[in-house]
Amino acid sequence: MTQKYPVILLEDRWVHQSYTDHHESSEMDFGKCRINRKGKDLTIITFGFNVFLACKVSDFFREFGVEIEVCDLVSLKPLDFKGIQDSLFKTKRAIVVDSGFEFASLGSYVSHILNDRLFGQLLSPIRVLTAGDYPEPTSHGVIGQVKITAPLIALEVIKLMRIEMNLDLAAIASSFVDVPDEDFSGPF
């Protein structure tokens, strides 16, 4: 990232356990969202590790004829509201996924601004999926039960799209666990 101003980069430690064969340029257009999956039925707006989960959900639903666009916010300030709106004008539905708490979260803020700006132009209110409103545990055995998962995102898609199929969400369950591997060298 080449910026003439200071930049703080935050990333979920779960990103370090994700591996991909896809090697993109490390250059990013700061302040512009990135569409990781194209779709016409629904937009999932998210950032960080949740982009990986949203792409997994998008790929899963594509097999059933539901095309989900995944909008990676890339930068949180400035937010690319125009890019997000362009996606919503196409899909008319959205879920904002934020791994933080709902109260005073980025997801709630994005949802509020978009509902305000696009009132009456969408097919349904924007849904927000966040972590539960309780302290996050530090135990390796429990933390996976309170994090956002691909099946949780898929359930929100099912509710919003009113899908009446019996889907096996175990197919998209993540195998990531919050346990350090042999390469880990730091404290939590």
Side-chain angles (χ1 to χ4, degrees):
M1 186 172 352
T2 55
Q3 288 290 311
K4 61 182 177 179
Y5 305 108
V7 173
I8 297 173
L9 178 67
L10 303 173
E11 62 184 7
D12 195 310
R13 68 180 181 230
W14 287 27
V15 171
H16 297 264
Q17 294 184 30
S18 61
Y19 300 98
T20 179
D21 292 332
H22 184 69
H23 299 286
E24 262 185 44
S25 165
S26 60
E27 301 247 344
M28 65 175 80
D29 198 0
F30 192 75
K32 298 286 183 197
C33 65
R34 179 176 31 208
I35 302 301
N36 288 40
R37 297 286 189 280
K38 292 192 180 289
K40 63 178 178 54
D41 300 314
L42 166 73
T43 300
I44 296 178
I45 303 163
T46 192
F47 57 95
F49 183 71
N50 290 324
V51 172
F52 170 80
L53 298 176
C55 287
K56 204 172 188 181
V57 169
S58 177
D59 295 343
F60 174 78
F61 278 100
R62 193 166 300 273
E63 294 177 27
F64 301 100
V66 178
E67 295 181 25
I68 299 173
E69 186 147 300
V70 176
C71 181
D72 178 359
L73 296 178
V74 178
S75 64
L76 306 182
K77 187 170 173 94
L79 272 173
D80 181 13
F81 281 110
K82 182 185 179 326
I84 299 167
Q85 283 180 185
D86 289 346
S87 177
L88 285 180
F89 285 144
K90 184 171 39 169
T91 66
K92 305 283 190 218
R93 294 181 185 95
I95 299 171
V96 181
V97 180
D98 182 347
S99 56
F101 303 125
E102 185 174 7
F103 178 77
S105 70
L106 179 75
S108 295
Y109 171 70
V110 169
S111 172
H112 162 73
I113 295 295
L114 292 172
N115 275 318
D116 189 49
R117 290 184 183 180
L118 304 177
F119 183 78
Q121 299 177 54
L122 303 177
L123 295 174
S124 63
I126 296 171
R127 296 185 66 91
V128 180
L129 177 62
T130 60
D133 192 16
Y134 39 79
E136 185 173 299
T138 56
S139 167
H140 298 302
V142 180
I143 198 162
Q145 297 172 21
V146 299
K147 288 290 217 182
I148 302 276
T149 63
L152 278 177
I153 298 170
L155 287 172
E156 286 298 313
V157 170
I158 290 167
K159 286 182 212 170
L160 186 63
M161 299 294 296
R162 296 187 173 120
I163 296 173
E164 296 185 17
M165 289 186 265
N166 190 7
L167 303 174
D168 180 17
L169 299 182
I172 57 171
S174 181
S175 60
F176 292 108
V177 291
D178 196 21
V179 179
D181 64 10
E182 65 274 358
D183 296 330
F184 182 76
S185 62
F188 279 14

